[in-house]
mmCIF file of all heavy atoms in Angstrom:
data_model
loop_
_atom_site.group_PDB
_atom_site.id
_atom_site.type_symbol
_atom_site.label_atom_id
_atom_site.label_comp_id
_atom_site.label_asym_id
_atom_site.label_seq_id
_atom_site.Cartn_x
_atom_site.Cartn_y
_atom_site.Cartn_z
ATOM 1 N N CYS A 232 89.400 111.552 112.237
ATOM 2 C CA CYS A 232 89.100 110.406 111.379
ATOM 3 C C CYS A 232 88.306 109.384 112.180
ATOM 4 O O CYS A 232 88.774 108.892 113.224
ATOM 5 C CB CYS A 232 90.385 109.783 110.846
ATOM 6 S SG CYS A 232 90.097 108.433 109.674
ATOM 7 N N GLU A 233 87.102 109.072 111.741
ATOM 8 C CA GLU A 233 86.238 108.101 112.405
ATOM 9 C C GLU A 233 86.215 106.810 111.591
ATOM 10 O O GLU A 233 85.968 106.820 110.395
ATOM 11 C CB GLU A 233 84.816 108.646 112.540
ATOM 12 C CG GLU A 233 84.706 109.862 113.449
ATOM 13 C CD GLU A 233 83.283 110.373 113.552
ATOM 14 O OE1 GLU A 233 82.425 109.874 112.766
ATOM 15 O OE2 GLU A 233 83.022 111.251 114.387
ATOM 16 N N LEU A 234 86.490 105.703 112.256
ATOM 17 C CA LEU A 234 86.500 104.389 111.618
ATOM 18 C C LEU A 234 85.344 103.559 112.160
ATOM 19 O O LEU A 234 85.222 103.371 113.372
ATOM 20 C CB LEU A 234 87.831 103.681 111.873
ATOM 21 C CG LEU A 234 87.951 102.244 111.346
ATOM 22 C CD1 LEU A 234 87.783 102.201 109.831
ATOM 23 C CD2 LEU A 234 89.299 101.643 111.751
ATOM 24 N N GLU A 235 84.506 103.069 111.271
ATOM 25 C CA GLU A 235 83.357 102.247 111.659
ATOM 26 C C GLU A 235 83.436 100.916 110.910
ATOM 27 O O GLU A 235 83.145 100.833 109.723
ATOM 28 C CB GLU A 235 82.056 102.978 111.312
ATOM 29 C CG GLU A 235 80.804 102.256 111.788
ATOM 30 C CD GLU A 235 79.548 103.028 111.453
ATOM 31 O OE1 GLU A 235 79.520 104.247 111.705
ATOM 32 O OE2 GLU A 235 78.590 102.414 110.922
ATOM 33 N N ILE A 236 83.843 99.869 111.635
ATOM 34 C CA ILE A 236 84.008 98.547 111.034
ATOM 35 C C ILE A 236 83.842 97.494 112.117
ATOM 36 O O ILE A 236 84.215 97.718 113.280
ATOM 37 C CB ILE A 236 85.396 98.418 110.348
ATOM 38 C CG1 ILE A 236 85.513 97.065 109.632
ATOM 39 C CG2 ILE A 236 86.529 98.647 111.319
ATOM 40 C CD1 ILE A 236 86.774 96.941 108.788
ATOM 41 N N GLU A 237 83.276 96.357 111.760
ATOM 42 C CA GLU A 237 83.100 95.277 112.734
ATOM 43 C C GLU A 237 84.462 94.707 113.134
ATOM 44 O O GLU A 237 85.388 94.669 112.303
ATOM 45 C CB GLU A 237 82.228 94.166 112.140
ATOM 46 C CG GLU A 237 80.799 94.591 111.841
ATOM 47 C CD GLU A 237 79.995 93.448 111.244
ATOM 48 O OE1 GLU A 237 80.571 92.340 111.095
ATOM 49 O OE2 GLU A 237 78.815 93.658 110.926
ATOM 50 N N PRO A 238 84.599 94.275 114.381
ATOM 51 C CA PRO A 238 85.875 93.677 114.807
ATOM 52 C C PRO A 238 86.213 92.441 113.980
ATOM 53 O O PRO A 238 85.337 91.662 113.593
ATOM 54 C CB PRO A 238 85.611 93.310 116.284
ATOM 55 C CG PRO A 238 84.450 94.160 116.699
ATOM 56 C CD PRO A 238 83.610 94.329 115.476
ATOM 57 N N ASP A 239 87.493 92.293 113.697
ATOM 58 C CA ASP A 239 88.018 91.121 112.979
ATOM 59 C C ASP A 239 87.255 90.838 111.686
ATOM 60 O O ASP A 239 86.753 89.735 111.456
ATOM 61 C CB ASP A 239 87.983 89.889 113.893
ATOM 62 C CG ASP A 239 88.928 90.035 115.083
ATOM 63 O OD1 ASP A 239 89.974 90.700 114.916
ATOM 64 O OD2 ASP A 239 88.606 89.517 116.154
ATOM 65 N N THR A 240 87.163 91.862 110.851
ATOM 66 C CA THR A 240 86.591 91.694 109.514
ATOM 67 C C THR A 240 87.695 91.236 108.569
ATOM 68 O O THR A 240 88.689 91.930 108.381
ATOM 69 C CB THR A 240 85.985 93.010 109.000
ATOM 70 O OG1 THR A 240 84.919 93.401 109.879
ATOM 71 C CG2 THR A 240 85.441 92.844 107.585
ATOM 72 N N PHE A 241 87.521 90.048 108.010
ATOM 73 C CA PHE A 241 88.561 89.477 107.146
ATOM 74 C C PHE A 241 88.144 89.557 105.683
ATOM 75 O O PHE A 241 86.957 89.476 105.346
ATOM 76 C CB PHE A 241 88.830 88.013 107.514
ATOM 77 C CG PHE A 241 89.651 87.858 108.768
ATOM 78 C CD1 PHE A 241 89.032 87.822 110.013
ATOM 79 C CD2 PHE A 241 91.031 87.749 108.693
ATOM 80 C CE1 PHE A 241 89.788 87.678 111.165
ATOM 81 C CE2 PHE A 241 91.786 87.603 109.842
ATOM 82 C CZ PHE A 241 91.170 87.566 111.084
ATOM 83 N N VAL A 242 89.132 89.725 104.811
ATOM 84 C CA VAL A 242 88.906 89.727 103.368
ATOM 85 C C VAL A 242 90.144 89.117 102.704
ATOM 86 O O VAL A 242 91.268 89.278 103.191
ATOM 87 C CB VAL A 242 88.648 91.160 102.839
ATOM 88 C CG1 VAL A 242 89.868 92.044 103.016
ATOM 89 C CG2 VAL A 242 88.231 91.127 101.376
ATOM 90 N N ARG A 243 89.921 88.392 101.628
ATOM 91 C CA ARG A 243 91.028 87.776 100.898
ATOM 92 C C ARG A 243 91.516 88.742 99.816
ATOM 93 O O ARG A 243 90.765 89.090 98.905
ATOM 94 C CB ARG A 243 90.586 86.448 100.264
ATOM 95 C CG ARG A 243 91.729 85.649 99.650
ATOM 96 C CD ARG A 243 91.247 84.264 99.210
ATOM 97 N NE ARG A 243 92.345 83.496 98.616
ATOM 98 C CZ ARG A 243 92.676 83.532 97.333
ATOM 99 N NH1 ARG A 243 91.991 84.310 96.512
ATOM 100 N NH2 ARG A 243 93.672 82.807 96.863
ATOM 101 N N CYS A 244 92.774 89.182 99.931
ATOM 102 C CA CYS A 244 93.294 90.183 99.004
ATOM 103 C C CYS A 244 94.821 90.189 99.077
ATOM 104 O O CYS A 244 95.426 89.463 99.858
ATOM 105 C CB CYS A 244 92.744 91.572 99.342
ATOM 106 S SG CYS A 244 93.267 92.163 100.981
ATOM 107 N N ASP A 245 95.422 91.017 98.238
ATOM 108 C CA ASP A 245 96.856 91.296 98.322
ATOM 109 C C ASP A 245 97.006 92.452 99.296
ATOM 110 O O ASP A 245 96.660 93.594 98.987
ATOM 111 C CB ASP A 245 97.394 91.670 96.938
ATOM 112 C CG ASP A 245 98.901 91.868 96.927
ATOM 113 O OD1 ASP A 245 99.420 92.517 97.857
ATOM 114 O OD2 ASP A 245 99.561 91.383 95.990
ATOM 115 N N VAL A 246 97.515 92.179 100.488
ATOM 116 C CA VAL A 246 97.504 93.165 101.562
ATOM 117 C C VAL A 246 98.288 94.424 101.197
ATOM 118 O O VAL A 246 97.864 95.548 101.487
ATOM 119 C CB VAL A 246 98.035 92.538 102.882
ATOM 120 C CG1 VAL A 246 99.471 92.050 102.723
ATOM 121 C CG2 VAL A 246 97.942 93.545 104.035
ATOM 122 N N ASP A 247 99.442 94.281 100.541
ATOM 123 C CA ASP A 247 100.241 95.461 100.194
ATOM 124 C C ASP A 247 99.523 96.346 99.194
ATOM 125 O O ASP A 247 99.529 97.573 99.303
ATOM 126 C CB ASP A 247 101.600 95.026 99.634
ATOM 127 C CG ASP A 247 102.471 94.346 100.688
ATOM 128 O OD1 ASP A 247 102.316 94.697 101.869
ATOM 129 O OD2 ASP A 247 103.286 93.483 100.326
ATOM 130 N N LYS A 248 98.893 95.701 98.189
ATOM 131 C CA LYS A 248 98.206 96.477 97.159
ATOM 132 C C LYS A 248 96.963 97.176 97.736
ATOM 133 O O LYS A 248 96.716 98.350 97.450
ATOM 134 C CB LYS A 248 97.789 95.561 95.995
ATOM 135 C CG LYS A 248 98.938 94.842 95.303
ATOM 136 C CD LYS A 248 99.862 95.783 94.583
ATOM 137 C CE LYS A 248 100.832 95.038 93.662
ATOM 138 N NZ LYS A 248 101.644 94.029 94.336
ATOM 139 N N ILE A 249 96.179 96.444 98.537
ATOM 140 C CA ILE A 249 94.971 97.047 99.109
ATOM 141 C C ILE A 249 95.338 98.153 100.099
ATOM 142 O O ILE A 249 94.659 99.190 100.170
ATOM 143 C CB ILE A 249 94.100 95.964 99.779
ATOM 144 C CG1 ILE A 249 93.454 95.079 98.707
ATOM 145 C CG2 ILE A 249 93.027 96.592 100.649
ATOM 146 C CD1 ILE A 249 92.514 95.815 97.771
ATOM 147 N N GLN A 250 96.412 97.950 100.840
ATOM 148 C CA GLN A 250 96.861 99.008 101.748
ATOM 149 C C GLN A 250 97.227 100.266 100.963
ATOM 150 O O GLN A 250 96.965 101.384 101.406
ATOM 151 C CB GLN A 250 98.063 98.526 102.563
ATOM 152 C CG GLN A 250 98.528 99.539 103.609
ATOM 153 C CD GLN A 250 99.630 98.980 104.495
ATOM 154 O OE1 GLN A 250 100.128 97.892 104.270
ATOM 155 N NE2 GLN A 250 100.005 99.744 105.514
ATOM 156 N N ARG A 251 97.806 100.069 99.800
ATOM 157 C CA ARG A 251 98.151 101.208 98.956
ATOM 158 C C ARG A 251 96.893 101.936 98.486
ATOM 159 O O ARG A 251 96.861 103.163 98.411
ATOM 160 C CB ARG A 251 98.965 100.733 97.755
ATOM 161 C CG ARG A 251 99.478 101.849 96.871
ATOM 162 C CD ARG A 251 100.350 101.302 95.773
ATOM 163 N NE ARG A 251 100.938 102.359 94.987
ATOM 164 C CZ ARG A 251 101.717 102.149 93.941
ATOM 165 N NH1 ARG A 251 101.992 100.908 93.571
ATOM 166 N NH2 ARG A 251 102.220 103.153 93.264
ATOM 167 N N VAL A 252 95.845 101.168 98.154
ATOM 168 C CA VAL A 252 94.576 101.788 97.742
ATOM 169 C C VAL A 252 94.028 102.669 98.859
ATOM 170 O O VAL A 252 93.696 103.844 98.650
ATOM 171 C CB VAL A 252 93.538 100.708 97.364
ATOM 172 C CG1 VAL A 252 92.162 101.342 97.143
ATOM 173 C CG2 VAL A 252 93.973 99.959 96.120
ATOM 174 N N PHE A 253 93.945 102.108 100.069
ATOM 175 C CA PHE A 253 93.382 102.859 101.192
ATOM 176 C C PHE A 253 94.273 104.048 101.565
ATOM 177 O O PHE A 253 93.786 105.105 101.961
ATOM 178 C CB PHE A 253 93.185 101.938 102.392
ATOM 179 C CG PHE A 253 92.179 100.838 102.147
ATOM 180 C CD1 PHE A 253 92.275 99.611 102.802
ATOM 181 C CD2 PHE A 253 91.138 101.023 101.250
ATOM 182 C CE1 PHE A 253 91.355 98.606 102.565
ATOM 183 C CE2 PHE A 253 90.213 100.029 101.009
ATOM 184 C CZ PHE A 253 90.321 98.815 101.673
ATOM 185 N N ASP A 254 95.582 103.868 101.451
ATOM 186 C CA ASP A 254 96.513 104.967 101.719
ATOM 187 C C ASP A 254 96.261 106.115 100.749
ATOM 188 O O ASP A 254 96.198 107.299 101.136
ATOM 189 C CB ASP A 254 97.954 104.463 101.595
ATOM 190 C CG ASP A 254 98.977 105.536 101.958
ATOM 191 O OD1 ASP A 254 99.249 106.390 101.090
ATOM 192 O OD2 ASP A 254 99.501 105.517 103.084
ATOM 193 N N ASN A 255 96.088 105.789 99.451
ATOM 194 C CA ASN A 255 95.823 106.828 98.449
ATOM 195 C C ASN A 255 94.502 107.542 98.725
ATOM 196 O O ASN A 255 94.404 108.767 98.605
ATOM 197 C CB ASN A 255 95.787 106.209 97.045
ATOM 198 C CG ASN A 255 97.169 105.868 96.523
ATOM 199 O OD1 ASN A 255 98.174 106.393 96.997
ATOM 200 N ND2 ASN A 255 97.231 104.972 95.559
ATOM 201 N N LEU A 256 93.475 106.767 99.096
ATOM 202 C CA LEU A 256 92.157 107.372 99.336
ATOM 203 C C LEU A 256 92.166 108.265 100.572
ATOM 204 O O LEU A 256 91.588 109.362 100.563
ATOM 205 C CB LEU A 256 91.098 106.276 99.477
ATOM 206 C CG LEU A 256 90.801 105.462 98.208
ATOM 207 C CD1 LEU A 256 89.765 104.387 98.497
ATOM 208 C CD2 LEU A 256 90.329 106.364 97.080
ATOM 209 N N LEU A 257 92.821 107.810 101.641
ATOM 210 C CA LEU A 257 92.865 108.620 102.861
ATOM 211 C C LEU A 257 93.741 109.860 102.657
ATOM 212 O O LEU A 257 93.405 110.955 103.120
ATOM 213 C CB LEU A 257 93.386 107.777 104.031
ATOM 214 C CG LEU A 257 93.332 108.446 105.418
ATOM 215 C CD1 LEU A 257 91.937 108.992 105.706
ATOM 216 C CD2 LEU A 257 93.755 107.456 106.502
#
């Protein structure tokens, strides 16, 4: 698994819900 993202990229969201989205996709 390769992750390409800038350091300390912030976004305003519901962390639990968005984590669930990424968990489902991965």
Side-chain angles (χ1 to χ4, degrees):
C232 184
E233 295 180 351
L234 176 61
E235 185 179 313
I236 184 173
E237 295 179 1
D239 295 328
T240 298
F241 284 87
V242 65
R243 188 172 180 272
C244 63
D245 184 316
V246 61
D247 293 330
K248 300 294 192 303
I249 289 298
Q250 184 174 6
R251 185 176 185 182
V252 171
F253 296 151
D254 184 280
N255 285 340
L256 293 178
L257 187 52

